[in-house]
Amino acid sequence: MAQKDNPVGAGLTLGLGLGFYSALPLLFGWTVAYFVVLDSAAPFWQVYLGLVGAVVALGMLLGASSAFRAGRSARRHERERKEQARRDELARAYDGASRAAADAIDTIESLPGWLATARGHAADAGAHFRNGAYSPFWSAIEGAYAALGGYHRAIQALQALPGAYAGHAGEYRRGGGETPLPPFPASVDTAVLGAAAGTLLRRLGSLVYEAQRDPVFAQIWEQRRTTAAVVAGFASLEHAVGRMGGAIAASVHDLAGTLEHAESAVSAAVGEVNASTRAVAATVTSASAESRRLQRVLNERIAAVERQLTA
């Protein structure tokens, strides 16, 4: 009765009983193995330790096998990670070169448009001057110089693009990229760019000078010449009128120096050591063809603007 009132004692008794009776089959099996199968005088503990050692060795073997598989899996994942990182770097380099080439083409193709816009404003200014329309005349002059400011900015932007393209192309080739890169237009006839802007600037300068000789036009000029800049990069309209020619000439000169080395730099970058010879040849050939096409289009469009200026 007392044992039933003691749950701890009851539990111990039950646990010992279950342990004893559960151990009987194991004890019987071991006894049979020792006396019948082994039939040896070897001490019981030596046999026991031998079995334990075998179990431990088996466990070590299984553990080593598991560690080997885990290490192999980790190395595979690391190789995959590095390969994915390499592919990502190649994609970024390819995209960077593609953007530089596309920006160069867009920038070159925008140059005749800026000149045409400036020419249109110059034509309007001439008509307003003849008609004595004072404020519209100076608004047209502002519009012409604003368009020439866009022309100037495009030339400046073009200077940075060959280096950007060559840098990305070099990274792409060093990383093992073999797909032909988009061609970069590495040559532009800067003499044409400078001459076309010079023709227009002389036309505008002549109009401004004639207007300043007229008292009413000159009075309106005095009111507008120091107003907030409508031409990016210049503090006022007066600065734009006085300095635009020199700024464009300097930028065209700098662009000529940049482009002088651009073709060799682009070819060297495209032809890095790990490149496919066929891919390199295709890229360089395409770049040359694209340069010739753009130069032809540029010359034709600028020539059309110049014809309109001299008409």
Side-chain angles (χ1 to χ4, degrees):
M1 185 70 176
Q3 190 174 9
K4 290 183 179 179
D5 294 335
N6 184 358
V8 175
L12 287 174
T13 300
L14 179 61
L16 289 173
L18 291 174
F20 175 75
Y21 288 109
S22 299
L24 285 178
L26 179 62
L27 180 62
F28 176 76
W30 176 248
T31 302
V32 171
Y34 180 69
F35 288 103
V36 178
V37 178
L38 295 177
D39 191 20
S40 170
F44 179 84
W45 63 269
Q46 290 182 347
V47 177
Y48 176 75
L49 289 179
L51 291 174
V52 170
V55 172
V56 170
L58 179 61
M60 291 176 65
L61 181 62
L62 292 175
S65 176
S66 177
F68 175 77
R69 289 195 301 272
R72 184 173 59 186
S73 176
R75 288 190 296 273
R76 184 180 67 254
H77 288 312
E78 180 64 14
R79 287 195 302 270
E80 292 174 351
R81 185 191 67 78
K82 289 182 177 180
E83 178 60 23
Q84 184 60 49
R86 188 184 76 87
R87 287 195 295 267
D88 292 343
E89 288 294 328
L90 284 178
R92 281 191 289 271
Y94 188 94
D95 290 344
S98 299
R99 283 194 303 272
D103 288 346
I105 293 171
D106 291 342
T107 302
I108 291 172
E109 291 184 336
S110 75
L111 293 172
W114 287 117
L115 285 179
T117 300
R119 186 211 66 80
H121 285 299
D124 291 343
H128 293 317
F129 181 75
R130 290 189 296 272
N131 295 330
Y134 307 115
S135 289
F137 169 81
W138 289 114
S139 294
I141 293 294
E142 287 179 355
Y145 277 95
L148 284 171
Y151 185 78
H152 179 226
R153 289 195 306 276
I155 292 173
Q156 289 180 316
L158 194 56
Q159 294 178 42
L161 294 174
Y165 181 90
H168 290 302
E171 291 175 7
Y172 181 72
R173 293 308 182 195
R174 285 191 295 273
E178 296 185 354
T179 302
L181 291 165
F184 184 87
S187 63
V188 173
D189 189 346
T190 53
V192 172
L193 301 184
T199 301
L200 187 52
L201 283 164
R202 286 190 295 273
R203 172 77 176 275
L204 289 169
S206 177
L207 282 170
V208 170
Y209 179 75
E210 289 298 322
Q212 288 173 338
R213 294 177 60 192
D214 181 283
V216 181
F217 276 105
Q219 183 180 4
I220 302 297
W221 163 257
E222 290 298 324
Q223 295 172 2
R224 303 181 69 149
R225 67 185 179 86
T226 58
T227 55
V230 294
V231 183
F234 296 89
S236 66
L237 176 60
E238 183 178 30
H239 286 171
V241 170
R243 301 177 185 179
M244 180 68 74
I248 289 179
S251 293
V252 168
H253 179 270
D254 293 341
L255 178 61
T258 299
L259 295 179
E260 184 178 352
H261 304 288
E263 190 165 0
S264 59
V266 168
S267 297
V270 170
E272 288 289 344
V273 176
N274 292 331
S276 161
T277 303
R278 181 176 301 174
V280 171
T283 301
V284 174
T285 300
S286 298
S288 299
E290 183 66 13
S291 292
R292 290 192 297 272
R293 183 191 71 80
L294 285 173
Q295 188 60 65
R296 184 175 62 255
V297 171
L298 182 64
N299 289 346
E300 291 172 353
R301 292 180 180 176
I302 289 179
V305 173
E306 288 193 291
R307 284 194 299 272
Q308 291 171 335
L309 284 170
T310 57

